[in-house]
Amino acid sequence: MIATPAAEEVLYRPATLRDVSAIAQIRSEHWGHAPDWELRLASYLSGEHHPRQALLPRVMIVAEQDEEIIGFIAGHLTRRYHCDGELQWINVSSSQRRQGVATQLLRELADWFASNNALRICVDVQPRSANARAFYTCHGAQSLNSHWLVWPNIVEAMPAL
């Protein structure tokens, strides 16, 4: 994993079970309640929760600044929609948005997918989630259907810096 240059450096690293509580807090800023997310995230990270057609391996990457987790992304291999991988979740703390953290998290996940020979990647996005759809399409995702977007080749869409 790499760190981005900035006044306050952001470190990108694989998540551990110790990170789950902080990740759940970020996830719950816009969706559900943190205690509910803690169990689901821990189960996903430990390989016990399997989204539909999910395969192992899987990864969760955190963005950390000043020893505080400010964002995360998770993905796994899959056969859903004839894809090689699926972006499961991505969230950045509200106070840290629009600073490139989500883009770098997506780049880190793209690198992980590439290391697992997974190029065609899908993501489920609510049709009414205009900001999420704009973020993904700005980074090369294309519409698959009303709920799903796909990167035909995420490595080409998200080249390493």
Side-chain angles (χ1 to χ4, degrees):
M1 302 295 157
I2 61 170
T4 60
E8 296 177 6
E9 188 175 27
V10 178
L11 173 69
Y12 297 87
R13 63 170 177 78
T16 68
L17 289 174
R18 290 186 310 262
D19 300 320
V20 166
S21 181
I23 294 168
Q25 198 62 44
I26 292 169
R27 184 80 180 134
S28 70
E29 285 181 17
H30 299 284
W31 199 269
H33 304 285
D36 298 331
W37 279 110
E38 284 187 34
L39 178 60
R40 190 166 182 192
L41 291 162
S43 297
Y44 178 86
L45 189 56
S46 66
E48 297 168 20
H49 168 69
H50 303 287
R52 182 178 296 170
Q53 296 184 26
L55 305 171
L56 295 174
R58 60 189 57 178
V59 69
M60 196 176 290
I61 300 165
V62 296
E64 187 176 58
Q65 187 176 49
D66 296 328
E67 298 182 23
E68 178 184 341
I69 293 174
I70 60 170
F72 82 102
I73 194 166
H76 54 268
L77 302 184
T78 191
R79 292 294 172 246
R80 189 181 286 204
Y81 292 110
H82 304 287
C83 290
D84 304 314
E86 181 178 343
L87 190 165
Q88 183 67 25
W89 299 297
I90 183 172
N91 287 103
V92 175
S93 178
S94 297
S95 64
Q96 300 293 324
R97 291 193 176 166
R98 305 240 179 247
Q99 296 182 37
V101 174
T103 297
Q104 187 59 36
L105 283 166
L106 184 57
R107 188 170 283 116
E108 296 285 332
L109 185 62
D111 290 346
W112 181 85
F113 280 132
S115 72
N116 284 278
N117 299 312
L119 300 178
R120 183 176 164 86
I121 309 302
C122 59
V123 61
D124 183 9
V125 186
Q126 293 296 318
R128 67 183 180 276
S129 187
N131 289 341
R133 287 180 147 334
F135 172 77
Y136 294 131
T137 57
C138 174
H139 291 90
Q142 303 167 5
S143 182
L144 185 61
N145 61 40
S146 64
H147 278 266
W148 290 83
L149 299 174
V150 65
W151 286 271
N153 184 328
I154 199 164
V155 173
E156 289 177 1
M158 296 299 300
L161 293 178

